[in-house]
Amino acid sequence: MAQLGGDLALVGAQLRTNTTATAGDATAILIRGGRISAIGDDAAVRAEAEAAGIEVRDLAGATITPGFFDSHTHPHWAAEVTAGINLGGLETVAEIRAAIAAEHARLPEGAWVRGWNLEYEPFEETGLRGELLEDAAPGRPVALICYDLHTGLGTAPALAAAGIAGAREFDDASEIVVDADGTPTGELREPTAYQLLFDAAPSPTHDQERDGLRDMFRTLAAVGLTGGAIMDGKDRTVELLTELEARGELDHRVTMHHWHAVGDTDADVARVIAGKDRAGRLWQTGAIKLFSDGVIDTGTAWLHTVDACGDGRAPFWPSWDRYGEVVRAYHDAGMLIATHAVGDYAVSRVLDVYATLPERAGLPFHSIEHLEVLSDADVAQLRGSGVTASMQPLHMQWRAPDHSDNWTVRLGPERDATGYRVRDVLDAGVELTLGSDWPVAQYDPRLGMAWARGRHTPGDPGAHVFEPSQQLTGEEAVLAYTLWPARARGHHDRGVLTVGAVGDLTVWGADPVTATPDELPELPVRLTVVDGRVIHEG
């Protein structure tokens, strides 16, 4: 069945409109056909709704904001990855082995043990080695992925099933890690390498994959998210979005960034450009995701100076000129480009390429994703660039006040203060958007706002605060999940509460702007409304 926008009236609310055009005493919103048709006082909106036979809900003082949008997420991938064991928080190899053994005992013969959210710290002394885990699931393939989605780990049965017997050359910086004798250790760095492992594992059926994505979107709605930018899109994602919308089961507003792999050819680029206008009522393509580097934890981030292990000076692309050619092709085709750049030098080099691009009248400019570490010179280079900085302060949750975490050890404690400089970026006049990188980190925007504002473990007022000078205000954190993501994509009818805007709303039990960072994680989500339809009610 065709998916149509809904009708809904909400009264008795406090409105955070993100615009000065709406009267300050407005307390009610009317949505017709998926778009806001009236904003005013309770009596006027109620009368109009009742005359049209539209449901009226009294929110009894709850706060309405424009729908929250996650600017960097992987829900399609997450629906598959998170099907295994959640290994987050397991601090020793023994704990990981115990979790694998329990899953081994539960699974039927022939099934793989899958796990996600694996942390690097338990393997600091030994390195990531599959042999450490093999006898926890004798004879059974075990395939795990680290929390940052940049490293996989497989046991010998899993490597054998995937045909991984030694090192290989890849088009990008991916690597099958091997011992001195050429035997794979089980560590697989970056997606091109570890995808060999996961492609060998049993796949879900078509219906399972489709329904898994549908259910993932509904899970995201339960924390107030009405949409997101998918950063690992592929043709299969388009097929599933199309099918879900045709079935009336798409409950998320999506911008899909097609994932460009380093090895993609000019023909691949042309094919993606040819399909750039594919869209539905709630989803659109026309966007690209590329990588310029990896992550700090594995030494694959591209840094101005080497890390503590002597790594960090290699880009993801063997030819940086090729990166520039690809970016120019997509830019000239009118597409929106997002480039992953964790390291400070990667950010600078991406900015160099972006600076060569001609203006495109009426189209938004491109983004850089993550920007985890920035030198003062990089912040200055961002100023006036027109770039959107898509950042995730939420990822600071893995830092330790005593500098013992893997990220800081790799980067060096003298440089950890250059991490997650959201305040400096914003003060440089750069538009900022926030996101989760789910399933790398929790998808809950309340946690995302709490970390961006408090820069400490939410709910623990006595916790160490990382770089307090970089804290955002309550209003800035909300804008970075609503208005600013909309502007970054050239949308004038999103991220605001105004007549004509899309009917995407997040209704909170209290005002997220005035709630403290420590209160945010428990802030009730009363309603999540997408296209005028109530997707979640808490």
Side-chain angles (χ1 to χ4, degrees):
M1 60 181 174
Q3 190 157 324
L4 302 176
D7 301 329
L8 181 66
L10 301 175
V11 301
Q14 174 185 342
L15 307 186
R16 285 281 182 184
T17 65
N18 289 350
T19 174
T20 58
T22 304
D25 58 355
T27 55
I29 292 178
L30 178 63
I31 300 173
R32 286 187 165 188
R35 288 191 175 268
I36 297 173
S37 64
I39 294 181
D41 61 52
D42 288 1
V45 168
R46 183 185 292 275
E48 185 174 347
E50 291 177 348
I54 295 173
E55 177 188 9
V56 179
R57 296 192 181 212
D58 191 329
L59 298 181
T63 299
I64 303 176
T65 66
F68 268 43
F69 187 94
D70 187 324
S71 288
H72 191 119
T73 185
H74 305 276
H76 187 187
W77 199 359
E80 175 189 355
V81 169
T82 60
I85 319 166
N86 184 352
L87 301 169
L90 302 186
E91 298 179 350
T92 67
V93 172
E95 290 175 335
I96 297 167
R97 286 166 48 84
I100 291 172
E103 186 75 348
H104 170 67
R106 184 187 69 82
L107 290 173
E109 184 176 353
W112 286 43
V113 170
R114 298 284 297 271
W116 62 287
N117 219 5
L118 182 68
E119 298 180 14
Y120 292 101
E121 280 75 9
F123 301 92
E124 283 181 342
E125 299 296 326
T126 62
L128 286 161
R129 302 189 67 87
E131 65 191 31
L132 298 173
L133 311 174
E134 282 178 14
D135 61 359
R140 189 189 295 275
V142 177
L144 313 178
I145 191 165
C146 290
Y147 72 90
D148 59 5
L149 303 186
H150 280 265
T151 304
L153 180 62
T155 59
L159 297 178
I164 299 173
R168 298 188 193 181
E169 292 293 327
F170 295 102
D171 292 324
D172 55 27
S174 296
E175 179 185 4
I176 297 172
V177 179
V178 298
D179 285 329
D181 64 359
T183 302
T185 66
E187 180 181 358
L188 305 166
R189 294 180 180 171
E190 303 300 336
T192 310
Y194 70 62
Q195 205 56 50
L196 297 172
L197 180 69
F198 293 107
D199 284 346
S203 299
T205 66
H206 169 83
D207 288 356
Q208 288 171 335
E209 185 181 15
R210 180 200 64 223
D211 293 350
L213 182 58
R214 175 201 65 197
D215 294 344
M216 179 60 65
F217 287 145
R218 293 174 180 174
T219 297
L220 300 178
V223 295
L225 288 168
T226 62
I230 296 180
M231 286 290 167
D232 59 331
K234 45 190 175 289
D235 291 339
R236 179 66 176 154
T237 314
V238 172
E239 294 169 5
L240 294 176
L241 293 172
T242 302
E243 184 175 355
L244 284 174
E245 193 160 65
R247 292 166 60 93
E249 296 178 343
L250 182 57
D251 300 324
H252 215 58
R253 195 175 298 274
V254 172
T255 296
M256 195 203 81
H257 288 250
H258 193 102
W259 190 337
H260 178 100
V262 170
D264 285 353
T265 65
D266 288 343
D268 295 318
V269 173
R271 177 181 57 81
V272 172
I273 290 174
K276 70 183 180 67
D277 295 324
R278 292 175 297 181
R281 180 179 178 89
L282 291 181
W283 61 273
Q284 64 184 93
T285 54
I288 293 294
K289 164 71 178 302
L290 306 99
F291 282 82
S292 67
D293 69 346
V295 291
I296 288 166
D297 296 87
T298 61
T300 54
W302 202 9
L303 303 168
H304 284 296
T305 57
V306 296
D307 64 20
C309 298
D311 296 323
R313 290 298 296 154
F316 203 64
W317 294 68
S319 168
W320 192 244
D321 288 341
R322 175 59 179 168
Y323 168 81
E325 291 172 0
V326 169
V327 166
R328 180 60 186 266
Y330 288 129
H331 175 86
D332 288 348
M335 302 185 75
L336 184 66
I337 299 166
T339 302
H340 166 117
V342 164
D344 44 18
Y345 191 59
V347 173
S348 179
R349 293 305 307 273
V350 172
L351 286 170
D352 288 342
V353 172
Y354 282 2
T356 68
L357 302 174
E359 289 190 22
R360 304 181 302 180
L363 293 176
F365 198 57
H366 310 302
S367 72
I368 299 179
E369 305 296 313
H370 306 307
L371 306 93
E372 277 190 19
V373 288
L374 293 169
S375 70
D376 290 344
D378 304 323
V379 174
Q381 190 178 2
L382 279 163
R383 188 183 302 274
S385 66
V387 165
T388 294
S390 172
M391 302 177 71
Q392 296 83 39
L394 173 64
H395 293 187
M396 288 190 294
Q397 65 184 282
W398 293 292
R399 294 173 66 182
D402 64 358
H403 307 295
S404 63
D405 59 283
N406 187 68
W407 184 88
T408 302
V409 169
R410 265 280 188 176
L411 187 62
E414 70 283 355
R415 282 196 284 177
D416 66 345
T418 68
Y420 307 96
R421 297 176 65 174
V422 286
R423 164 58 56 203
D424 289 341
V425 166
L426 200 58
D427 288 348
V430 177
E431 195 124 282
L432 173 71
T433 63
L434 296 176
S436 64
D437 204 11
W438 166 248
V440 171
Q442 303 95 320
Y443 50 75
D444 194 331
R446 295 171 296 183
L447 291 174
M449 287 191 292
W451 273 100
R453 291 177 53 189
R455 294 179 75 92
H456 69 265
T457 302
D460 182 2
H464 177 80
V465 178
F466 297 98
E467 299 85 43
S469 65
Q470 296 298 321
Q471 292 172 325
L472 298 184
T473 68
E475 184 176 22
E476 288 165 344
V478 169
L479 289 170
Y481 272 105
T482 56
L483 178 61
W484 294 343
R487 292 203 308 217
R489 290 164 178 81
H491 299 304
H492 303 291
D493 61 350
R494 305 181 191 180
V496 293
L497 302 181
T498 190
V499 172
V502 296
D504 297 352
L505 314 174
T506 307
V507 181
W508 309 92
D511 189 346
V513 170
T514 58
T516 69
D518 291 314
E519 292 170 340
L520 279 170
E522 302 302 322
L523 189 67
V525 178
R526 293 275 301 276
L527 294 176
T528 304
V529 179
V530 178
D531 204 32
R533 295 179 292 115
V534 175
I535 306 303
H536 167 79
E537 183 169 4

